[in-house]
Amino acid sequence: MTRVGNMLLVEDNKDDELLTLDALRNAGVSNSIFVVRDGQEALDYLFVEGSFATRDRNDRPCIILLDLKLPKISGMEVLRRIKADERTKRLPVVVLTTSSEAEDIHNCYGNGANSYVRKPVEYEKFLEAIRHLGLYWTLVNEPAN
Amino acid sequence: MSASSASFSTLYRYGISVVAVVMATAIRAALEPVLGREAPYLPFVLAILLVGHFEGMGPAFLATGLSTLSTAWFFLEPQRSLIASPSARAALVMFVVVGAALSILIGHVRPSLVSALKAAETPRKRIEMLYLTPDTGETARNVWVKFWQRPHFFWLSLAAIVVVLEAGSFASIWTRFSEREQWSLHTHQVLEKLESLLSTLNEIETRQRSYLLTGEDRDLAPYREESEEIPVRLDEIQELTADNPRQQEQIKNLRRLIAARNVALEKNIELRQARGLLAVDEFIKDSPGKGTMEQIRKSLAEMKSEESFLLDRRNEAALASAKTMAEMMVSGASLLLIVLVAGSRVIDRHISARKQDIELSASLAAIVNSTEDAIIGESLDGLILSWNRGAEKLYGYTAAEVLGRPSLLLSPPEIPDEMGTVLRHISRGKETERYETVRIAKDGRKIDVAITSSPIINRIGELIGVSAITRDITGRIRAQEKLRESEAQFRTLANAIPQLCWMANADGWVFWYNRRWYEYTGATPEQVEGWAWQSLHDPEVLPAVMERWNGSIASGELFDMVFPLRGADGVFRPFLTRVMPLRDKDGQITRWFGTNTDISEQTITEEKLRRVLEQRDQAMEAGDLGTWDYRLETGEVFWDERCRSMFGMMTGDRIDYDAEIQLIHPEDRVAVAEAKQQALAGVNDGMYHQEFRVIWPDGSVHWVASHGRVLFKGEGRSRRAVRFNGVKMNITDRKRAESEILDLNATLERRVQERTGQLESAIRELEAFSYSVSHDLRAPLRSVEGFAKILLRDYSGRVLDEIAADYMKRMRAATQRMGKLIGDLLALSRLTRQEMSRQRVNLSEIAHSVLMEYAAREPDRCVQVEVESGLFADADPALARVALENLLGNAWKYTGKTAAATIAFGTCGSSRSEATFFVRDNGAGFDMAHVDQLFAPFQRLHRAEEFEGTGIGLATVQRVIRRHGGRVWADAKPGQGAVFYFTLGGDG
């Protein structure tokens, strides 16, 4: 059995945070989910800096759900830095975004994103997407035998 | 020069004469011991002959004169004196006459004869060798005839006879004359002897008397000596007068008397010796001796008178014979002169006649020799006797090869008898008709010949051979064939040419027309023969034509006129008619050759050409184009007025290459010169385009454009520029406009840059807007939708009643629709920004896969799909897919309520080069009244309850099609389906 890790959700929109969390829960994801509000916080958390300097350095999220549209440091920049750093580059990053711009998608994969999930207006579709995501990347919600 | 050389030659000739005389004198002197007094003239005659022979008449005369002087001085008695005895003088005169005659004969006649013979010698020899038949029948009569035919022999003989007769008579007279002289001498001798006898007798008497007186013996001795002389003297006299009996009688008597006297004298001496002086005295007184002496004296005197008488008689006779001799000589010389003069006249005439004869023969020989015809002489027994150059050429034998050989040699073996027949014919003294036969050349080649034979008759009219004039007619036969062939060719040609042509006799009677004539006029030969062609003429023009034509016939001048001729279709067409006279070798017109050329086409062409030229001139004028032309080979330069005016030049100003360059703005000169050099060097096929400034004499600057081209002749190395011409255009206004445009463009460019900047920032804003739309507008929708879902999920039935739940559902539907709208809107905006790359796209495949997707999405629907396969277009694949997705999507959607739905994709007949595609369905369709709203974004023709949609689809399709440069349109009827047509621009 794999160790159940944290998930890091980088999302500035409270509504989206709630909906995402709801969707994740609905999808059966049982991992603890840590939420940060902007790019800077995300980087601080990941690199144990700033307000997160005291955090356990070894506690690394098993997956990062990253919104692209973030205050302070954009999601794309965060992604770039994660993938540029030895400590974090192996962390799977799933980009969550409302953008369906080809350019954005292309840039994400170019910067090393592991998956790209478009946030649709239809909640059902979002749920579906998250469900797939959870199954694929977290493998945490093993049905109790 | 020539005068001096002539005078020198004269001097030389006379010098030779002097030398000859000197030599003759020397020879005669050398012969003196042999000849003595005889033949004093002999070497001098020889000298005169030689001088006359070699140097002519003048020197011979000189030699005659000098010889006369030399003979008189050296060889006639008395020598060393010009005085001569009468007989010698006569001989001298004779010599002078003979010398003069010889001079005339030799010096005058001979050179003219020699020169004539010399002039004729070469051709004469040739004639004798090549043509003249040798005189085989030489008879005595012939010789005689020949002799008389050569008058110089006759006249020379006559002259010789005269000279001989003259010389003979002279000789006889001379002999007699010299006899008389001897007799005269004899008489003188006799007289002398008689005198001497008498004086001796007297001497004896004197001696005796002195002895008688002195009685001394010493006086007696001379007496004795003298006495002994007497008989001797008497003997001499007797001998001298032996021919005269009377004198002999006298001498006998004298002897007797002298003897008597001697007795008397002896008696006296004895008396003196015996009786002394007295007895003598006595004795002398009556001595008979005294009478004896007297008788002696008397006898001697008689003898002397007898001799003197004889002498006188003889002198008289000598004088008479000298006179006769002189008369004879004068008459003889006159006769000789007459003979010589007459003879030389006749000889001269004969010589000139002979000369003419020889010249004629020579010219005949030249003709014989130079003629192309072979002229062969044959003897009666068929041997070749003469062979001219034509024969050599024709047969290939040289004269040396065939002379003396039988003429059968030249006949082909199959007709050997021919010459025999001809000879028999000829021997009857007739000429043969010209006959044509075959002969064989040396190389065995057969030759077609025409032969004319004629007899050869010698000078006395005897037939001695046959002369055959043989002409090679191979060429003529070939020429006849050629003529026939060329006539046939002429007919073919005359019938083949598009012109009408015809021939008329010299008097204008037309006897032949070519085929084209009959074709054009539709007439029959009978209808137009002779002068009947007039019926084909326009009656109004005919008189003028007749006048000209009759004029031409009368004057023989070329006829050249344009007049109408009626064709078979009755239409008159203008014909250029030229008629040329054909003349024979005498210049007489034999026939007329006429051509009629239909110039209606030509007239039209000329008119066209004139119009084209006019148009060109007008165009040149309208375009203000000037023409220029450099003829590079001749150096000629042509600039028209407009060209000159562009350079500010006057009409007469001189222009050439350098003058042109000088008028060009200094800044442009190098470029113009280089461009010209390049064109002349053949760069860019000699094309020349240059714009430059020209400075007019008034200082103003004007722009000129010059366009031209160099024409080259020859290829490769010999290729050279021959002409450089083109047009010039005043482009000052254009240049001004151009510079204005350039200014405008610069402003415009600046503005465009500004606008582009503005536009770019607008696009950036739009992009930012789109981006934020995709994120920011969607986010709240997602929240509404998400939470509504959660509410429905988690609170339905507990907190929310049925109505609330329904409202929630409506909220969710609305937000979902809004989300789709935003998505479509973004997609639409993306279309215009997206890069386009055209490539070959298989539309059939795309349509098929799109429809498969739809079918997969709604597996329950049953739709008949007809996709035409193999439709390709030059398009952006992604955009093409978008367009087809929308069109086929619409079709899919609007057939949703149709029972037997059919969707088709294909092409229909394209009106232009581009293909027209269509998407057709049998769905809901629409009213064509609203078609103008069809492609506007967000415009819908169906209510959302009927068919879902955002109203962006067709707007998207239109945008895609427009981006490809194509068109899209629709045709529909409500309830019966719709057809959407589109093209994709490019070459489809």
Side-chain angles (χ1 to χ4, degrees), chain B residues 604-616:
Chain B
I604 292 165
T605 313
E606 276 171 6
E607 176 62 20
K608 271 186 190 161
L609 179 64
R610 196 187 57 74
R611 215 177 304 143
V612 166
L613 286 175
E614 200 176 271
Q615 281 171 353
R616 193 203 66 179

Side-chain angles (χ1 to χ4, degrees), chain B residues 233-243 248 251 255:
Chain B
R233 300 224 183 265
L234 275 174
D235 287 349
E236 280 174 0
I237 291 166
Q238 189 173 3
E239 196 182 337
L240 279 171
T241 58
D243 57 331
Q248 290 291 326
I251 288 171
R255 275 185 195 277

Side-chain angles (χ1 to χ4, degrees), chain B residues 538-551:
Chain B
D538 183 344
E540 283 186 22
V541 189
L542 186 60
V545 174
M546 290 304 294
E547 194 188 328
R548 288 275 300 278
W549 176 219
N550 282 323

Side-chain angles (χ1 to χ4, degrees), chain B residues 798-816:
Chain B
R798 282 189 290 155
V799 182
L800 298 173
D801 60 7
E802 285 288 313
I803 295 166
D806 179 52
Y807 289 171
M808 278 295 178
K809 280 175 190 164
R810 284 178 189 280
M811 278 166 62
R812 284 193 64 203
T815 51
Q816 280 170 11

Side-chain angles (χ1 to χ4, degrees), chain A residues 73-92:
Chain A
I73 296 172
S74 77
M76 202 64 82
E77 179 63 22
V78 171
L79 174 64
R80 218 177 46 73
R81 290 201 194 171
I82 291 168
K83 290 299 169 186
D85 197 293
E86 275 299 319
R87 295 165 291 175
T88 53
K89 74 175 184 187
R90 293 187 205 288
L91 294 175

